[in-house]
Amino acid sequence: MPEPVETTSPDGVDFGWVMQVTFVLTIAVGAPIVALLSITADLTSWGARAEFAIRVGAPIWVVTALSVFAYAKRKQE
């Protein structure tokens, strides 16, 4: 069995894990929420669609990232 190319031994929270889990959860949970909320929105142009996605998606991403970080911080102790 070959040796692993990279290994990590983080002190504290593993931010790589936090970023990866945030990315996956934001897509898995956030995308359906944005899609459901877009049903009632008036999205007549591409600019309006992009603005809506950013306005709704950014808070979802922030809440997801903070939740994942808090989980990682709690589990490390």
Side-chain angles (χ1 to χ4, degrees):
M1 184 81 145
E3 289 293 319
V5 176
E6 293 183 24
T7 60
T8 181
S9 178
D11 294 329
V13 175
D14 183 0
F15 291 105
W17 181 85
V18 171
M19 290 188 325
Q20 290 173 354
V21 172
T22 298
F23 177 76
V24 171
L25 285 178
T26 301
I27 291 174
V29 176
I33 292 172
V34 172
L36 287 173
L37 291 175
S38 71
I39 292 172
T40 61
D42 184 29
L43 305 173
T44 56
S45 69
W46 283 107
R49 292 174 186 155
E51 181 184 343
F52 177 82
I54 292 168
R55 201 171 10 133
V56 174
I60 292 172
W61 179 83
V62 169
V63 168
T64 305
L66 292 174
S67 300
V68 171
F69 178 78
Y71 173 81
K73 185 82 170 165
R74 195 171 351 130
K75 286 297 182 178
Q76 121 189 349
E77 296 171 353

